[in-house]
mmCIF file with all atom_site columns, all heavy atoms in Angstrom:
data_model
loop_
_atom_site.group_PDB
_atom_site.id
_atom_site.type_symbol
_atom_site.label_atom_id
_atom_site.label_alt_id
_atom_site.label_comp_id
_atom_site.label_asym_id
_atom_site.label_entity_id
_atom_site.label_seq_id
_atom_site.pdbx_PDB_ins_code
_atom_site.Cartn_x
_atom_site.Cartn_y
_atom_site.Cartn_z
_atom_site.occupancy
_atom_site.B_iso_or_equiv
_atom_site.pdbx_formal_charge
_atom_site.auth_seq_id
_atom_site.auth_comp_id
_atom_site.auth_asym_id
_atom_site.auth_atom_id
_atom_site.pdbx_PDB_model_num
ATOM 1  N N   . ASN A 1 43  ? 64.261 151.256 94.502  1.00 91.00 ? 43  ASN A N   1
ATOM 2  C CA  . ASN A 1 43  ? 63.185 150.975 93.653  1.00 91.00 ? 43  ASN A CA  1
ATOM 3  C C   . ASN A 1 43  ? 62.555 149.570 93.937  1.00 91.00 ? 43  ASN A C   1
ATOM 4  O O   . ASN A 1 43  ? 62.981 148.577 93.296  1.00 91.00 ? 43  ASN A O   1
ATOM 5  C CB  . ASN A 1 43  ? 63.541 151.082 92.110  1.00 91.00 ? 43  ASN A CB  1
ATOM 6  C CG  . ASN A 1 43  ? 62.388 151.062 91.176  1.00 91.00 ? 43  ASN A CG  1
ATOM 7  O OD1 . ASN A 1 43  ? 61.322 151.640 91.504  1.00 91.00 ? 43  ASN A OD1 1
ATOM 8  N ND2 . ASN A 1 43  ? 62.456 150.313 90.090  1.00 91.00 ? 43  ASN A ND2 1
ATOM 9  N N   . ALA A 1 113 ? 62.039 154.196 112.320 1.00 97.00 ? 113 ALA A N   1
ATOM 10 C CA  . ALA A 1 113 ? 61.910 153.383 113.612 1.00 97.00 ? 113 ALA A CA  1
ATOM 11 C C   . ALA A 1 113 ? 61.006 152.312 113.331 1.00 97.00 ? 113 ALA A C   1
ATOM 12 O O   . ALA A 1 113 ? 60.136 152.272 112.508 1.00 97.00 ? 113 ALA A O   1
ATOM 13 C CB  . ALA A 1 113 ? 61.460 154.318 114.636 1.00 97.00 ? 113 ALA A CB  1
ATOM 14 N N   . LEU A 1 224 ? 59.507 132.799 84.021  1.00 98.00 ? 224 LEU A N   1
ATOM 15 C CA  . LEU A 1 224 ? 60.023 133.996 83.326  1.00 98.00 ? 224 LEU A CA  1
ATOM 16 C C   . LEU A 1 224 ? 60.871 133.601 82.160  1.00 98.00 ? 224 LEU A C   1
ATOM 17 O O   . LEU A 1 224 ? 60.755 134.064 81.022  1.00 98.00 ? 224 LEU A O   1
ATOM 18 C CB  . LEU A 1 224 ? 60.730 134.902 84.284  1.00 98.00 ? 224 LEU A CB  1
ATOM 19 C CG  . LEU A 1 224 ? 59.830 135.805 85.195  1.00 98.00 ? 224 LEU A CG  1
ATOM 20 C CD1 . LEU A 1 224 ? 60.662 136.324 86.397  1.00 98.00 ? 224 LEU A CD1 1
ATOM 21 C CD2 . LEU A 1 224 ? 59.047 136.826 84.416  1.00 98.00 ? 224 LEU A CD2 1
ATOM 22 N N   . ARG A 1 361 ? 25.086 143.984 83.831  1.00 97.00 ? 361 ARG A N   1
ATOM 23 C CA  . ARG A 1 361 ? 25.254 143.788 82.411  1.00 97.00 ? 361 ARG A CA  1
ATOM 24 C C   . ARG A 1 361 ? 26.638 143.169 82.104  1.00 97.00 ? 361 ARG A C   1
ATOM 25 O O   . ARG A 1 361 ? 26.788 142.245 81.395  1.00 97.00 ? 361 ARG A O   1
ATOM 26 C CB  . ARG A 1 361 ? 25.132 145.097 81.571  1.00 97.00 ? 361 ARG A CB  1
ATOM 27 C CG  . ARG A 1 361 ? 25.333 144.932 80.094  1.00 97.00 ? 361 ARG A CG  1
ATOM 28 C CD  . ARG A 1 361 ? 25.290 146.285 79.301  1.00 97.00 ? 361 ARG A CD  1
ATOM 29 N NE  . ARG A 1 361 ? 26.265 147.216 79.886  1.00 97.00 ? 361 ARG A NE  1
ATOM 30 C CZ  . ARG A 1 361 ? 27.549 147.147 79.595  1.00 97.00 ? 361 ARG A CZ  1
ATOM 31 N NH1 . ARG A 1 361 ? 28.061 146.186 78.793  1.00 97.00 ? 361 ARG A NH1 1
ATOM 32 N NH2 . ARG A 1 361 ? 28.411 148.060 79.982  1.00 97.00 ? 361 ARG A NH2 1
#
Side-chain angles (χ1 to χ4, degrees):
N43 191 41
L224 283 165
R361 178 185 60 78

